[in-house]
């Protein structure tokens, strides 16, 4: 009997042998696939330039373009670093010139904070860091300086107002010119809150301005603080109240990149507390959401399963696990995900695990990159040829069913491969890039730390290009070494005094405006004989960093200080240049006050009420043409400075007592300006300390994970761990 069973088993194994055979790939086979991907990228890229530029995206069936995310030639910026990775340096340099000459983000449009960050800021930062490899002429001080870096910072500065909320978690939409749009919903998805630390952390480390990293980190701490009692996070949250409005917990759409950025932020910025947050979340996810190497959705409060589905967006998870050394687990999961691809030729947006079919309402495949992303990560670690076969399956499907004469189209229905007239920018930023890197094992991105490049920076010599690139969620690679060539994000300069005019406007005692002007008038009258140079010198001396006790030694009429012109201070204490189109509240007030003192026509001569101004402040001959270089306010102790909303009665009373020029300003102009003062917001976050630091903030051993070989130089060799951190 045993002999019969063995014979049957042997016959079956021979019959099934061919179907289990894994194709062997020679080096020539792999390079041939790489060149096919290069041609794929080129066809899509050329089609965008020919038919769609300067619109955001290509419509490959109509052979034209359309604005989708912000009307800023999104695909061109998103594809920029892919040009550098595939070696098309001439086109990279040409496009950089185009972007720098034509790009202006001072536009009156509403954009997604999340998408603008990962696609625009991420794309600009990556292109900035890769520009030295393309022969692009670099500015002195690169990588801590450069036009692409400044452009990325300009965009980030426009997004900062979204974080000015009661919880520190950002709104989902921002107007690039005026801030949060009126009536904007305060409900944001979890990924929209927790997907900033990679880009904003990079920006802070390169520029030395701690603002960006701290607001992004504060948002991550806010999410961690609002997790459920069992440790799960929901899908959507109200950023003003912290109340969860969608309580389904999962690892897919609406949540995905939050978990991704905990791991990548920990590695890139050496924040062990982020790795600890992920480890905690991972335990809860495996306990409540993992079912036979699939992941479902469940209630965040009790962990009861609500949606037994697989989402295409979840395909990033195996690649993420590979970054922390969980390769075996990741391989089991990716075989499940690839089985769905084999079933349809694509992965639908939603796949019902119960029925084993694509969801009838979410059956499309918009050329997503997540599955090929995980395949690339795992092949880089294991060199398992079955992963090359998976990658070729994806390449064949896209070439067969998505290619059009004008690009590549979204698959509207994976069941019959009907096309939809859209090619999202991430096809060039992610899908083609990950495919290319899968079939290009010798690409500089894969450098395991065996060689590097020495460059000179303002901080001395620095070694870069030693690998360990961290991809943001839009596949824009960041070189961690370059972050340590520049300023690290430190405590920064005490800049809580910058733009204190807002505090004056919003405090209950608005009459301080009268005091401010009185001091200016008295100071001008008692200093009539002082030259303009001496006057400026005195102001600079008063505004220097002397203690409040020392200032008390000055005369009362000299107890004034000046606001910085730009509101931004470099790491060395110098003022940072203001962008061309930037107009601050203090600029407007200064202009109004200058106009008033110099008898300009800010107040119309036909306006009878303008006479009241002269009655309150009669002009003297000696006071004509006074140049108020900076806004001056009475110096007050630091302890008494706090923001209070004025009562309606007090505000009205104070308004009546003010000169008309100030009344007009309060009634009109300042209300149209965004109230968010980024540096003041940063100081407020530091002072409030609403979310305590994670207890593992100093446990750097959490970064010593069994990571992939290309990351081990970071975690084990310790090139990026400061001596203090190593001692800890």
């Amino acid at each position: 009997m045993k002999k019969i069973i063995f014979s049957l088993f042997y016959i079956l194994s021979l019959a099934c042998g061919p179907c289990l055979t894994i194709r062997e790939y020679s080096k020539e086979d792999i390079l041939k696939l790489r060149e096919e991907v290069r041609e794929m990228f080129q066809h899509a890229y050329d089609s965008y330039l020919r038919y769609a530029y300067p619109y955001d995206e290509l419509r490959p069936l109509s052979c034209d373009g359309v604005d989708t995310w912000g009307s800023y030639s999104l695909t061109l910026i998103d594809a920029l670093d892919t040009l550098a990775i595939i070696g098309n340096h001439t086109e990279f340099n040409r496009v950089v010139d185009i972007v720098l000459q034509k790009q202006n983000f001072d536009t009156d449009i509403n954009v997604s904070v999340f998408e603008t960050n990962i696609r625009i800021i991420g794309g600009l930062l990556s292109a900035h860091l890769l520009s030295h490899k393309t022969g692009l002429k670099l500015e002195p001080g690169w990588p801590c300086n450069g036009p692409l870096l400044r452009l990325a910072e300009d965009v980030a500065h426009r997004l900062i107002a979204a974080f000015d909320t009661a919880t520190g978690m950002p709104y989902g939409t921002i107007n690039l010119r005026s801030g949060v749009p009126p009536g904007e919903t305060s409900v944001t998805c979890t990924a929209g809150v927790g997907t900033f630390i990679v880009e904003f952390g990079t920006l802070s480390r390169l520029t030395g301005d701690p603002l960006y990293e701290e607001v992004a980190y504060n948002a991550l701490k806010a999410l961690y603080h609002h997790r459920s009692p069992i440790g799960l996070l929901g899908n959507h949250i109200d950023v003003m109240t912290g109340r969860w409005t969608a309580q389904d917990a999962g690892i897919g759409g609406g949540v995905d990149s939050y978990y991704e950025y905990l791991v990548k932020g920990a590695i890139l910025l050496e924040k062990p507390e982020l790795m600890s947050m992920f480890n905690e979340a991972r335990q809860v996810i495996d306990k409540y959401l993992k079912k036979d190497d699939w992941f479902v959705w469940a209630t965040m409060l009790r962990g009861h399963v609500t949606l037994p589905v697989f989402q295409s967006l979840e395909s990033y998870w195996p690649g993420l696990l590979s970054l922390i050394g969980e390769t075996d687990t990741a391989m089991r999961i990716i075989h499940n995900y690839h089985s769905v691809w084999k079933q349809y030729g694509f992965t639908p947006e939603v796949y019902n695990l119960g029925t084993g079919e694509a969801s009838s309402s979410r059956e499309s495949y918009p050329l997503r990159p997540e599955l090929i992303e995980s395949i690339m990560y795992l092949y880089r670690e294991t060199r398992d040829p079955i992963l090359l076969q998976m990658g070729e399956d994806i390449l064949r499907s896209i070439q067969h069913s998505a290619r059009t004469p004008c690009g590549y189209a979204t698959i509207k229905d994976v069941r019959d491969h009907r096309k939809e007239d859209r090619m999202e920018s991430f096809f060039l930023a992610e899908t083609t890039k990950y495919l290319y890197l899968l079939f290009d094992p010798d690409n500089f991105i894969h450098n395991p730390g065996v060689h590097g490049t020495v460059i000179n920076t303002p901080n001395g010599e620095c070694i870069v290009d030693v690998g360990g690139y961290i991809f943001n969620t839009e596949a824009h690679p960041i070189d961690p070494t370059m972050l340590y060539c520049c300023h690290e994000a430190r405590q920064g300069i005490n800049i809580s005094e910058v733009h204190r005019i807002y505090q004056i406007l919003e405090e209950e005692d608005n009459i301080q405006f009268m005091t401010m002007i009185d001091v200016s008038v008295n100071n001008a009258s008692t200093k009539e004989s002082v030259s303009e140079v001496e006057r400026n010198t005195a102001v600079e001396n008063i505004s220097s960093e002397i203690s409040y006790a020392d200032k008390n030694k000055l005369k009362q009429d000299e107890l004034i200080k000046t606001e910085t012109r730009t509101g931004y201070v470099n790491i060395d204490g110098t003022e940072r240049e203001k962008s061309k189109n930037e107009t601050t509240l203090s600029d407007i007030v200064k202009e109004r006050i200058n106009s008033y003192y110099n008898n300009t026509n800010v107040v119309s001569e036909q306006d009878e009420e303008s006479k009241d101004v002269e009655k309150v402040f009669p002009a003297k001959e000696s006071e004509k043409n006074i140049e108020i270089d900076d806004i001056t306010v009475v110096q007050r102790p630091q302890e008494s400075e706090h923001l209070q909303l004025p009562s309606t009665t007090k505000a009205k009373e104070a308004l009546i007592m003010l000169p008309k020029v100030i009344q007009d300003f309060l009634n009109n102009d300042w209300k149209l300006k965004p109230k968010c003062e980024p540096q003041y917001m940063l100081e407020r976050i530091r002072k409030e300390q609403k979310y305590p630091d994670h207890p593992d903030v100093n446990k750097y051993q959490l970064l010593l994970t069994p990571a992939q070989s290309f990351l081990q130089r970071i975690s084990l060799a310790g090139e990026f761990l400061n001596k203090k951190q190593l001692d800890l």
Side-chain angles (χ1 to χ4, degrees), residues 527-539:
K527 302 287 185 178
E528 291 178 10
S529 60
V530 181
S531 67
E532 182 178 350
V533 174
E534 292 172 331
R535 188 189 312 276
N536 289 338
T537 302
V539 170

Side-chain angles (χ1 to χ4, degrees), residues 3 43 99 278 293 312 454 520 533 604 663 673:
K3 187 175 181 179
H43 174 61
V99 170
F278 176 78
D293 292 319
S312 180
V454 178
S520 302
V533 174
S604 174
Q663 291 184 34
K673 300 293 179 182

Side-chain angles (χ1 to χ4, degrees), residues 30-323:
I30 296 175
L31 293 181
K32 185 178 179 180
L33 290 170
R34 182 194 70 180
E35 293 309 305
E36 186 175 348
V37 176
R38 186 198 301 273
E39 190 279 331
M40 171 190 284
F41 169 85
Q42 203 64 47
H43 174 61
Y45 178 77
D46 290 343
S47 296
Y48 168 76
L49 292 181
R50 183 178 299 113
Y51 303 112
Y53 178 79
Y55 293 101
D56 278 342
E57 292 177 352
L58 169 70
R59 295 203 303 173
L61 301 182
S62 304
C63 297
D64 59 13
V66 62
D67 282 333
T68 52
W69 292 111
S71 187
Y72 31 42
S73 303
L74 174 62
T75 297
L76 195 67
I77 296 175
D78 227 3
L80 198 50
D81 54 20
T82 308
L83 290 169
I85 287 174
I86 69 175
N88 195 343
H89 297 164
T90 301
E91 181 65 9
F92 175 90
N93 295 340
R94 186 186 76 86
V95 172
V96 167
D97 289 338
I98 293 175
V99 170
L100 294 177
Q101 290 174 12
K102 295 186 177 181
Q103 194 56 256
N104 181 7
F105 292 98
D106 183 29
T107 52
D108 185 18
I109 56 174
N110 297 340
V111 300
S112 164
V113 179
F114 170 83
E115 298 290 353
T116 303
N117 174 58
I118 66 172
R119 302 193 195 205
I120 297 297
I121 298 178
L124 291 172
L125 287 174
S126 181
H128 165 73
L129 296 178
L130 292 176
S131 57
H132 72 297
K133 303 186 75 65
T134 68
L136 190 70
K137 185 178 180 181
L138 304 176
E139 288 188 359
W142 181 92
C144 316
N145 186 35
L148 289 172
L149 177 61
R150 289 192 293 273
L151 196 59
E153 186 175 17
D154 174 64
V155 180
H157 184 70
R158 298 177 187 278
L159 301 187
I160 281 293
F163 292 82
D164 192 17
T165 63
T167 64
M169 294 184 281
Y171 280 95
T173 302
I174 201 78
N175 184 284
L176 289 178
R177 178 173 292 169
S178 60
V180 178
E184 170 63 17
T185 177
S186 57
V187 175
T188 306
C189 69
T190 303
V193 172
T195 311
F196 294 91
I197 193 66
V198 170
E199 298 84 4
F200 278 30
T202 297
L203 197 56
S204 283
R205 301 297 175 96
L206 292 177
T207 64
D209 188 342
L211 168 67
Y212 308 104
E213 182 175 333
E214 291 198 29
V215 297
Y217 179 52
N218 188 62
L220 283 176
K221 291 200 296 184
L223 281 176
Y224 180 78
H225 176 79
H226 286 91
R227 68 195 188 284
S228 74
I230 63 173
L232 290 173
L233 278 72
N235 198 272
H236 284 76
I237 192 170
D238 190 315
V239 300
M240 295 304 294
T241 65
R243 182 178 64 86
W244 291 98
T245 59
Q247 297 186 0
D248 286 329
I251 63 170
V255 185
D256 46 3
S257 50
Y258 161 69
Y259 294 120
E260 179 184 356
Y261 272 40
L262 289 179
V263 172
K264 293 181 176 179
I267 298 172
L268 180 68
L269 305 175
E270 291 178 358
K271 287 184 174 292
E273 65 273 27
L274 297 184
M275 190 65 77
S276 183
M277 291 178 188
F278 176 78
N279 290 337
E280 293 177 29
R282 169 83 187 289
Q283 293 178 5
V284 179
I285 289 170
D286 285 351
K287 180 178 180 180
Y288 293 103
L289 307 182
K290 187 177 180 182
K291 309 294 181 183
D292 298 327
D293 292 319
W294 295 94
F295 293 87
V296 299
W297 290 80
T299 59
M300 63 178 292
L301 296 178
R302 299 182 180 276
H304 296 162
V305 176
T306 56
L307 292 171
V309 299
F310 157 68
Q311 294 184 341
S312 180
L313 283 169
E314 296 172 9
S315 302
Y316 77 98
W317 191 256
L320 186 63
L321 294 183
S322 74
L323 292 182

Side-chain angles (χ1 to χ4, degrees), residues 250-523:
I251 63 170
V255 185
D256 46 3
S257 50
Y258 161 69
Y259 294 120
E260 179 184 356
Y261 272 40
L262 289 179
V263 172
K264 293 181 176 179
I267 298 172
L268 180 68
L269 305 175
E270 291 178 358
K271 287 184 174 292
E273 65 273 27
L274 297 184
M275 190 65 77
S276 183
M277 291 178 188
F278 176 78
N279 290 337
E280 293 177 29
R282 169 83 187 289
Q283 293 178 5
V284 179
I285 289 170
D286 285 351
K287 180 178 180 180
Y288 293 103
L289 307 182
K290 187 177 180 182
K291 309 294 181 183
D292 298 327
D293 292 319
W294 295 94
F295 293 87
V296 299
W297 290 80
T299 59
M300 63 178 292
L301 296 178
R302 299 182 180 276
H304 296 162
V305 176
T306 56
L307 292 171
V309 299
F310 157 68
Q311 294 184 341
S312 180
L313 283 169
E314 296 172 9
S315 302
Y316 77 98
W317 191 256
L320 186 63
L321 294 183
S322 74
L323 292 182
I324 59 172
E326 296 282 347
T327 304
D328 293 340
T329 302
M331 285 295 291
R332 293 197 304 271
I333 296 171
I334 206 165
H335 275 288
N336 282 348
Y337 295 172
H338 182 247
S339 68
V340 178
W341 186 285
K342 293 290 288 183
Q343 182 177 346
Y344 292 107
F346 298 101
T347 48
E349 289 287 75
V350 176
Y351 180 82
N352 191 306
L353 296 176
T355 62
E357 297 178 347
S359 171
S360 58
S361 59
R362 301 291 304 279
E363 67 281 355
S364 66
Y365 170 71
L367 306 176
R368 288 204 182 278
E370 284 76 18
L371 182 58
I372 188 61
E373 173 187 4
S374 288
I375 291 171
M376 188 276 291
Y377 275 126
L378 285 168
Y379 179 73
R380 188 160 63 173
E381 171 64 9
T382 67
R383 301 296 176 180
D384 190 333
I386 196 172
L387 294 163
L388 292 175
Q389 191 166 319
M390 291 180 183
E392 186 176 4
D393 288 343
I394 293 174
L395 176 60
R396 292 284 162 260
S397 295
I398 294 175
Q399 291 282 52
H400 179 270
S401 299
R403 189 181 178 105
T404 74
C406 298
Y408 288 84
T410 289
I411 301 301
K412 185 177 181 63
D413 192 329
V414 299
R415 294 169 296 190
D416 56 22
H417 290 198
R418 285 180 295 149
K419 297 180 179 66
E420 185 177 341
D421 198 12
R422 186 176 186 185
M423 187 184 82
E424 291 217 42
S425 69
F426 57 64
F427 180 67
L428 293 177
E430 299 186 76
T431 309
T432 54
K433 182 184 295 169
Y434 285 132
L435 275 171
Y436 186 89
L437 289 174
L438 172 66
F439 300 126
D440 189 21
D442 297 326
N443 195 280
F444 69 89
I445 290 289
H446 302 312
N447 177 18
V450 297
H451 56 81
T453 304
V454 178
I455 62 173
N456 291 315
T457 73
N459 301 316
E461 287 188 345
C462 183
I463 302 178
V464 300
D465 289 342
V466 289
Y469 288 88
I470 297 297
F471 290 89
N472 85 332
T473 196
E474 190 75 3
H476 296 305
I478 304 295
D479 184 350
T481 52
M482 293 190 183
L483 274 58
Y484 291 84
C485 293
C486 304
H487 311 290
E488 292 189 47
R490 304 184 187 279
Q491 291 301 311
I493 301 170
N494 185 355
I495 43 182
S496 61
E497 300 297 303
V498 176
H499 292 318
R500 191 167 163 270
I501 192 68
Y502 272 117
Q503 185 174 359
I504 298 173
L505 290 174
E506 295 184 0
E507 278 184 350
E508 193 167 304
D509 190 9
N510 282 301
I511 202 65
Q512 287 185 67
F513 252 113
M514 297 285 290
T515 308
M516 178 188 74
I517 298 178
D518 283 340
V519 170
S520 302
V521 172
N522 293 336
N523 192 47

Side-chain angles (χ1 to χ4, degrees), residues 584-654:
T584 63
L585 175 62
S586 42
D587 289 333
I588 298 174
V589 176
K590 181 167 60 178
E591 180 183 356
R592 292 295 181 89
I593 297 176
N594 266 318
S595 300
Y596 166 67
Y597 275 109
N598 295 325
N599 286 336
T600 59
N601 59 359
V602 171
V603 182
S604 174
E605 294 180 359
Q606 286 78 19
D607 192 344
E608 293 296 326
E609 294 183 11
S610 64
K611 299 178 181 179
D612 297 337
V613 178
E614 296 182 1
K615 293 179 182 179
V616 178
F617 297 106
K620 298 180 181 179
E621 189 64 28
S622 61
E623 296 171 354
K624 297 297 178 64
N625 295 324
I626 294 175
E627 182 175 342
I628 301 180
D629 182 63
D630 292 286
I631 299 174
T632 56
V633 294
V634 178
Q635 175 66 52
R636 298 179 62 187
Q638 180 73 24
E639 293 73 23
S640 65
E641 297 178 355
H642 60 280
L643 196 63
Q644 290 183 339
L645 294 175
S647 65
T648 304
T649 304
K650 288 273 190 178
K652 289 181 178 179
E653 292 176 355

